[in-house]
């Protein structure tokens, strides 16, 4: 996992409330324990028509949104069953951050542990971001601010430990392994 300090990207809006993890990545694609290739199935039932062709009505299939890495989602994003495959699919599809008024706790924890920045903003800030969907945003994780041209920065909060892991580009295990020598010294001093 690479460290995240800043994300600079156009935004794309998917203002649908209560998008659950089965809509993000349907259960029938949970047969893998690797991330590679899951991006093709992100939002599978919305992105693809029954004949397997891209649904031109789905926002992530529209050419003007190609390469957008910041998803502005509707309220209560990521509700439903716990599955790490949901943030994996979004990351593999090129999404690096999700912004919403509410993000389900389990999804948010899975996202942060896997390198997907999950940001909660106020309804007013969310409405402003939605109204300007497609604009370029800079998300600074160090200062915990979303910067936009012509607008005051939007401040957000990420759990301090999760933030440090994202900045360092490690998960919880990686954080501990990086401190293995200190842990060994601590244990030796108390043996």
């Amino acid at each position: 996992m690479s460290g995240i300090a800043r994300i600079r990207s156009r935004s794309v809006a998917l203002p649908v409330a209560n998008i659950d993890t089965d809509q993000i990545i349907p259960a029938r694609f949970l047969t893998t324990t690797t991330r590679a290739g899951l991006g093709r199935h992100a939002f599978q039932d919305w992105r693809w028509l029954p004949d397997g062709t891209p649904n031109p009505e789905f926002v992530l299939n529209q050419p003007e949104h190609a390469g957008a890495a910041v998803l502005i989602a509707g309220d209560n994003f990521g509700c439903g069953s716990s599955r790490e495959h949901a943030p994996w699919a979004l990351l593999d599809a090129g999404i690096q951050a999700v912004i919403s008024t509410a993000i389900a706790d389990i999804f948010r924890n899975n996202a942060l542990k896997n390198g997907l920045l999950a940001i909660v903003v106020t309804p007013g800030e969310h409405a402003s971001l939605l109204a300007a969907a497609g604009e370029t945003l800079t998300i600074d994780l160090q200062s915990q601010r979303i910067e936009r041209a012509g607008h005051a920065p939007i401040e957000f909060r990420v759990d301090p430990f999760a933030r440090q892991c994202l900045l360092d580009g490690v998960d919880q295990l990686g954080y501990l392994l990086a401190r293995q020598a200190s842990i060994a010294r601590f244990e030796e001093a108390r043996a």
Side-chain angles (χ1 to χ4, degrees):
M1 177 165 91
S2 299
I4 300 172
R6 293 170 67 95
I7 298 169
R8 182 169 171 76
S9 172
R10 286 176 292 107
S11 64
V12 58
L14 186 59
V16 178
N18 304 311
I19 294 176
D20 65 32
T21 52
D22 202 54
Q23 291 164 316
I24 297 169
I25 182 79
R28 62 187 181 275
F29 299 109
L30 305 184
T31 57
T32 182
T33 56
T34 62
R35 304 169 187 209
L38 283 176
R40 173 160 172 56
H41 303 296
F43 302 110
Q44 172 77 25
D45 296 334
W46 295 346
R47 265 175 88 188
W48 305 100
L49 296 172
D51 67 0
T53 60
N55 177 356
E57 301 298 318
F58 187 64
V59 68
L60 293 178
N61 289 342
Q62 297 169 351
E64 64 270 27
H65 300 299
V70 178
L71 180 67
I72 303 172
D75 190 58
N76 196 29
F77 186 81
C79 58
S81 63
S82 174
R83 58 185 74 173
E84 286 190 306
H85 298 71
W88 291 355
L90 294 174
L91 286 164
D92 197 52
I95 301 297
Q96 298 176 339
V98 176
I99 302 173
S100 178
T101 50
I103 297 176
D105 286 344
I106 294 172
F107 175 84
R108 186 180 63 242
N109 288 331
N110 282 336
L112 294 173
K113 289 176 184 174
N114 285 284
L116 177 68
L117 188 53
I119 298 172
V120 174
V121 296
T122 68
E125 293 163 340
H126 186 257
S128 177
L129 290 167
L130 278 178
E135 72 178 330
T136 297
L137 304 175
T138 299
I139 301 172
D140 187 319
L141 182 59
Q142 187 70 41
S143 65
Q144 298 182 90
R145 293 165 48 139
I146 301 170
E147 298 166 359
R148 311 165 61 197
H151 296 271
I154 297 171
E155 295 186 4
F156 62 91
R157 292 286 169 254
V158 173
D159 169 79
F161 180 66
R163 179 173 157 264
Q164 190 60 54
C165 286
L166 288 169
L167 288 167
D168 292 347
V170 297
D171 60 13
Q172 293 169 324
L173 180 59
Y175 181 88
L176 288 174
L177 289 174
R179 286 147 183 85
Q180 198 166 14
S182 296
I183 293 169
R185 282 193 303 274
F186 178 85
E187 290 178 341
E188 286 173 12
R190 283 150 184 83

